[in-house]
């Protein structure tokens, strides 16, 4: 959500910042802007809409300099417009600032600043920050004025500031929204996420909440909000620029769907052996303790929540461990019963989702232990957790989560099997079968991808429908929720809902009309017959049944309008394999409807505000 890029160095600032901002486009935004120090003063250019609008304006009337800050805005306070786009300036035009997050006390700060004669140009909460710094800078040196202003803010922020009076540095700070420093050779960057700096450096310094970074060409000086120096080693990121690019695919989403066999292999590498599952020392020690726990709470949002729901089926049935799954946005406010004997598993691709982070903090405040299943190393949630099971899926750029989801499910398989073994809940034969089954998953996913032409055909056939249902049972009930989420998020013309198939008769079936498409998950399971009955109920009302079934299931054809075959697997692994046709179906329906697949309107990759 919103992207920040700050740059100081020898390269032309405009092209550098625009290039880095383009690598943050996946976060979702509605306007963009840049501020550049040109040797005399600060010039600002902003445009509503996509980055290309800003880029073409800068082509017509270029700005030049070696210090600057850019931003892509996702509106929270004030409509998406040029005026409300960042950077924002103080009254003198000497300062320019960009911000991600929400300043909760902006109204009271604004009225105080108006009383002191400040002139505001936008409707944003952000503009108060730059005027507040200006106000303090009347009495204090800039670094101190910056610190003082930040202390007065309530809410969440990642900010980046440049000042005409101090062109040898830029200032960044974070509290609740991510901000990283990219340490290059003779150049330094500030950014909201790693892909923004990858074309210039892989040495990255993650800022913690309440920390300030003073950036110069030599590097970064980090201090706390109280002014205490912070010593932190940079991390060398193992992603490269190529992995953050499309590689000839029409969309990042399609590329990431096809990367799933490799991503899943990465999640398993070094952990899954022929006869055992191993983790690093810290995680192993954590799991030993966890195996004695009597209660587990899984937290997540959106797709990560759906992975958690699958985890509930896995952990309860195979590891015999009681599990509650909560939407992080509900968990944080529902007065959940937490104590030292509770373990929370936080599932998150980005590691920065505001609600999940708040849930983790809340759990820790109550003495609960936290395990994160996370894709981004060094992210806020990874740092807060007591142990982390990294999914190692590589950067996920498309807003719609695909490979992150299947690698989360893979990590949950590992977790379930390891805990089941530690708890003595898995008989030896089942253990061997599941280990072999898990080894086979990347290959099964590879085979599932081969059905793309048939899936595309089915997608085109139903692409003009405006309502879809997705139905599944047991392990594939969450698959139904995820399939519906995938479709509605990337194809905003369509309304799609997922239900537990057994719930149909309790209400949703009333809407079925002739031709209404219903996607069924009917792969092998103990409730296969029941799903077939549900298919018949929809057919009786002349709904169109698109059935995802196991290869070799000829009998299902009698019941379906369209069949999508997936490789046969045990039900335990089926949500991973079944995710592939669901993702491809959504992708091709959205493509047939000419939707903005990688950056759907109103959505952001990483929801860093509440
Ligand atoms: C998935 O397609 C969505 N974009 C969204 O639901 C996402 O899974 C959710 O916002 C959680 O993000 P996280 O995994 O980074 O915490």
């Amino acid at each position: 959500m919103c992207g920040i890029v700050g740059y100081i160095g020898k390269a032309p600032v405009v092209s550098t910042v625009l290039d880095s901002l383009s690598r943050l486009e996946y976060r979702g935004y509605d306007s963009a802007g840049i501020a550049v120090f040109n040797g005399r003063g600060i010039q600002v250019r902003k445009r509503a809409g996509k980055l290309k609008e800003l880029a073409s304006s800068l082509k017509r009337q270029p700005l030049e300099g070696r210090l600057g800050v850019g931003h892509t805005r996702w509106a929270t306070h004030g409509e998406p417009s040029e005026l409300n786009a960042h950077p924002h300036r103080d009254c003198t035009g000497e300062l320019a600032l960009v911000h991600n997050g929400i300043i909760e006390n902006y109204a009271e700060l604004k009225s105080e600043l108006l009383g002191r004669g400040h002139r505001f140009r936008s409707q944003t909460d952000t503009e108060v920050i730059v005027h507040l710094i200006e106000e303090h800078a009347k009495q204090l040196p800039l670094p101190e004025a910056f610190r003082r202003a930040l202390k007065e803010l309530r809410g969440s922020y990642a900010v980046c500031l440049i000042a005409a009076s101090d062109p040898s540095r830029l200032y960044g700070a974070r509290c609740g929204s991510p901000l990283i420093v990219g340490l290059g050779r003779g150049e330094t960057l500030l950014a909201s996420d790693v892909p923004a700096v990858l074309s210039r450096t892989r040495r990255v310094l993650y800022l913690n909440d309440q920390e300030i970074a003073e950036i110069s060409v030599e590097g970064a000086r980090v201090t706390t909000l109280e002014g205490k120096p912070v010593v932190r080693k940079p991390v060398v990121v193992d992603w490269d620029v190529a992995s953050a690019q499309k590689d000839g695919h029409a969309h990042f989403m399609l590329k990431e769907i096809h990367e799933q066999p490799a991503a899943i292999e990465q999640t398993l590498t070094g952990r899954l052996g022929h006869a055992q599952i191993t983790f690093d020392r810290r995680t192993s020690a954590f799991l030993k303790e966890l195996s004695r726990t009597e209660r587990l709470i899984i937290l997540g949002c959106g797709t990560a929540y759906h992975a958690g729901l699958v985890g509930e089926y896995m952990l309860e049935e195979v590891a015999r461990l009681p599990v509650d799954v909560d939407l992080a946005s509900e968990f944080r406010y529902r007065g959940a019963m937490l104590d030292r004997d509770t373990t929370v598993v936080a599932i998150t691709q980005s590691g920065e989702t505001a609600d999940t982070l708040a849930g983790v903090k809340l759990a820790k405040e109550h003495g609960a232990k936290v395990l994160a299943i996370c894709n981004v190393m060094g992210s806020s949630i990874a740092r807060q957790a007591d142990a982390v099971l990294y999914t190692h899926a590589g950067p996920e750029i498309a807003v719609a989560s695909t490979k992150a989801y299947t690698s989360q499910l893979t990590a949950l398989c590992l977790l379930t099997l390891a805990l089941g073994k530690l708890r003595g809940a898995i008989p030896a034969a089942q253990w061997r079968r599941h280990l072999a089954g898990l080894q086979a998953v990347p290959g099964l996913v590879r085979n599932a991808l081969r059905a793309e032409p048939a899936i595309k055909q089915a997608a085109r056939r139903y692409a003009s429908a405006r309502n879809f249902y997705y139905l599944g049972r047991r392990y594939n009930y969450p698959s139904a929720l995820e399939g519906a989420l995938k479709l509605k998020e990337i194809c905003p013309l369509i309304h799609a809902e997922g239900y537990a198939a057994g719930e149909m008769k309790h209400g949703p079936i009333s809407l079925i009309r002739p031709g209404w498409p219903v996607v069924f998950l009917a792969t092998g399971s103990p409730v296969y017959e029941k799903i077939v009955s549900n298919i018949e109920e929809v057919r009786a009302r002349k709904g169109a049944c698109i059935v995802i079934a196991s290869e070799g299931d000829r009998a299902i054809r009698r019941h379906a309008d369209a069949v999508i075959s997936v490789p046969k697997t045990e039900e335990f692994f089926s949500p991973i394999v079944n995710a592939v046709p669901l993702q491809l179906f959504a992708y091709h329906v959205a493509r047939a409807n000419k939707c903005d697949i990688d950056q759907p309107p109103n959505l952001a990759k990483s929801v860093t505000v509440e």
Side-chain angles (χ1 to χ4, degrees):
M1 227 163 207
C2 303
I4 288 181
V5 174
Y7 177 81
I8 185 162
K10 288 187 277 307
V13 72
V14 169
S15 52
T16 309
V17 168
L18 286 183
D19 177 65
S20 293
L21 280 177
S22 71
R23 297 171 201 276
L24 296 177
E25 281 194 291
Y26 67 91
R27 294 170 69 89
Y29 69 102
D30 45 52
S31 53
I34 189 168
V36 175
F37 178 72
N38 67 0
R40 295 177 303 282
I42 291 174
Q43 290 180 294
V44 173
R45 184 76 49 80
K46 311 196 270 194
R47 286 293 176 269
K50 294 289 180 191
L51 260 183
K52 59 177 193 273
E53 310 295 336
L54 179 66
S56 60
S57 155
L58 288 162
K59 206 166 175 191
R60 284 194 303 276
Q61 288 174 293
L63 300 178
E64 274 173 23
R66 298 287 183 269
L67 165 73
V69 60
H71 190 260
T72 46
R73 173 177 186 250
W74 190 86
T76 58
H77 294 64
E79 58 176 4
S81 66
E82 189 169 317
L83 206 67
N84 288 330
H86 303 203
H88 291 287
R89 289 204 268 192
D90 67 331
C91 300
T92 63
E94 289 268 301
L95 304 175
L97 174 134
V98 298
H99 163 230
N100 293 351
I102 292 178
I103 303 305
E104 287 165 4
N105 59 337
Y106 87 98
E108 58 193 81
L109 290 171
K110 187 169 177 175
S111 79
E112 227 173 277
L113 289 160
L114 283 168
R116 290 174 188 267
H118 287 261
R119 282 167 290 111
F120 282 77
R121 299 176 186 95
S122 76
Q123 304 151 327
T124 63
D125 52 339
T126 300
E127 200 181 344
V128 297
I129 311 174
V130 71
H131 288 280
L132 202 55
I133 299 169
E134 176 191 14
E135 187 60 30
H136 287 302
K138 289 176 185 164
Q139 333 278 343
L140 298 166
L142 185 63
E144 198 42 43
F146 183 55
R147 195 178 302 280
R148 194 66 76 81
L150 295 175
K151 283 184 171 177
E152 286 181 51
L153 306 179
R154 273 204 322 270
S156 63
Y157 59 77
V159 291
C160 182
L161 172 79
I162 59 170
S165 60
D166 191 4
S168 61
R169 59 200 75 234
L170 41 88
Y171 298 86
R174 73 158 276 176
C175 178
S177 287
L179 197 63
I180 60 144
V181 180
L183 300 162
R185 289 213 182 108
E187 59 182 7
T188 314
L189 299 98
L190 263 174
S192 343
D193 204 354
V194 175
V197 304
L198 282 181
S199 63
R200 311 206 72 89
T201 180
R202 282 162 59 181
R203 285 178 68 229
V204 165
L205 229 159
Y206 290 90
L207 293 187
N208 282 340
D209 279 351
Q210 326 273 357
E211 285 181 355
I212 292 178
E214 221 178 286
I215 306 295
S216 68
V217 283
E218 277 102 43
R221 192 177 145 256
V222 181
T223 53
T224 65
L225 218 46
E226 302 309 324
K228 287 200 190 107
V230 172
V231 183
R232 182 163 310 131
K233 273 198 182 153
V235 174
V236 179
V237 179
D238 58 0
W239 301 350
D240 55 14
V241 196
S243 61
Q245 281 170 354
K246 279 188 218 159
D247 273 349
H249 289 88
H251 297 94
F252 279 112
M253 183 182 176
L254 190 60
K255 177 191 173 220
E256 289 158 7
I257 290 173
H258 282 273
E259 280 173 348
Q260 289 180 108
I264 293 166
E265 257 156 21
Q266 283 293 111
T267 311
L268 296 176
T269 300
R271 292 165 175 164
L272 177 64
H274 285 293
Q276 58 183 4
I277 290 175
T278 41
F279 295 103
D280 59 84
R281 273 217 339 250
R282 193 166 156 202
T283 313
S284 298
F286 186 88
L287 293 189
K288 233 175 231 158
E289 244 185 86
L290 176 56
S291 66
R292 290 188 285 269
T293 198
E294 282 315 312
R295 182 164 167 249
L296 204 72
I297 300 177
I298 302 184
L299 293 187
C301 298
T303 291
Y305 169 70
H306 297 156
L309 288 175
V310 176
E312 181 181 22
Y313 284 90
M314 290 176 170
L315 285 156
E316 293 212 333
E317 195 169 64
V318 176
R320 305 310 294 158
L321 184 61
V323 177
D324 293 321
V325 190
D326 254 337
L327 288 162
S329 54
E330 284 300 308
F331 172 81
R332 64 185 289 193
Y333 292 119
R334 79 172 169 85
M337 288 165 65
L338 294 163
D339 55 30
R340 307 183 74 80
D341 297 326
T342 314
T343 305
V344 166
V345 177
I347 306 182
T348 169
Q349 187 283 132
S350 62
E352 302 293 349
T353 300
D355 284 321
T356 313
L357 181 57
V360 165
K361 286 183 180 161
L362 182 79
K364 296 209 75 177
E365 276 160 29
H366 286 79
K369 286 170 260 344
V370 176
L371 171 71
I373 295 181
C374 184
N375 194 35
V376 179
M377 282 199 161
S379 57
S380 300
I381 292 171
R383 279 177 293 144
Q384 291 276 335
D386 298 293
V388 188
L389 198 51
Y390 282 110
T391 44
H392 298 307
E396 191 179 68
I397 308 291
V399 164
S401 187
T402 53
K403 64 174 178 171
Y405 176 62
T406 46
S407 58
Q408 285 161 358
L409 295 180
T410 306
L412 284 162
C413 288
L414 287 168
L415 182 68
T416 303
L417 295 175
L419 285 176
K421 178 86 169 161
L422 286 167
R423 289 167 67 82
I426 306 185
Q430 188 187 11
W431 168 257
R432 282 195 299 275
R433 212 178 62 238
H434 274 352
L435 251 50
L438 195 46
Q439 300 274 11
V441 167
L444 296 179
V445 169
R446 209 165 275 124
N447 289 342
L449 286 163
R450 297 210 173 102
E452 185 171 0
I455 298 169
K456 186 173 172 181
Q457 211 179 10
R460 290 211 168 143
R461 190 164 147 201
Y462 296 102
S464 59
R466 289 297 168 255
N467 292 289
F468 281 72
Y469 277 161
Y470 283 72
L471 300 180
R473 282 174 177 259
R474 278 176 47 98
Y475 286 72
N476 284 295
Y477 156 48
S479 304
L481 299 181
E482 176 61 9
L485 175 64
K486 243 19 8 140
L487 182 58
K488 68 186 150 201
E489 77 176 320
I490 62 167
C491 191
L493 304 163
I494 290 175
H495 173 240
E497 281 312 326
Y499 290 101
E503 275 296 294
M504 266 308 261
K505 285 202 224 38
H506 299 282
I509 201 164
S510 69
L511 288 180
I512 298 291
R513 300 279 179 278
W516 180 302
V518 183
V519 179
F520 280 95
L521 289 131
T523 46
S525 97
V527 289
Y528 174 81
E529 302 295 338
K530 296 194 186 300
I531 272 279
V532 172
S533 305
N534 296 133
I535 296 174
E536 281 309 314
E537 286 154 14
V538 170
R539 275 169 66 86
R541 286 153 186 86
K542 300 201 166 39
C545 298
I546 304 152
V547 183
I548 296 174
S550 301
E551 271 164 9
D553 182 354
R554 288 174 186 281
I556 201 75
R557 295 184 190 279
R558 280 203 307 276
H559 308 276
D561 294 273
V563 176
I564 296 171
S565 294
V566 288
K568 222 175 183 167
T569 179
E570 292 218 31
E571 191 191 22
F572 184 76
F573 303 111
S574 64
I576 305 179
V577 179
N578 292 348
V580 173
L582 293 171
Q583 296 161 350
L584 285 171
F585 185 78
Y587 174 82
H588 285 291
V589 170
R591 201 148 173 199
N593 279 291
K594 301 195 176 14
C595 296
D596 190 350
I597 291 176
D598 283 338
Q599 294 156 38
N602 298 320
L603 289 181
K605 179 66 183 163
S606 188
V607 184
T608 51
V609 295
E610 229 188 311

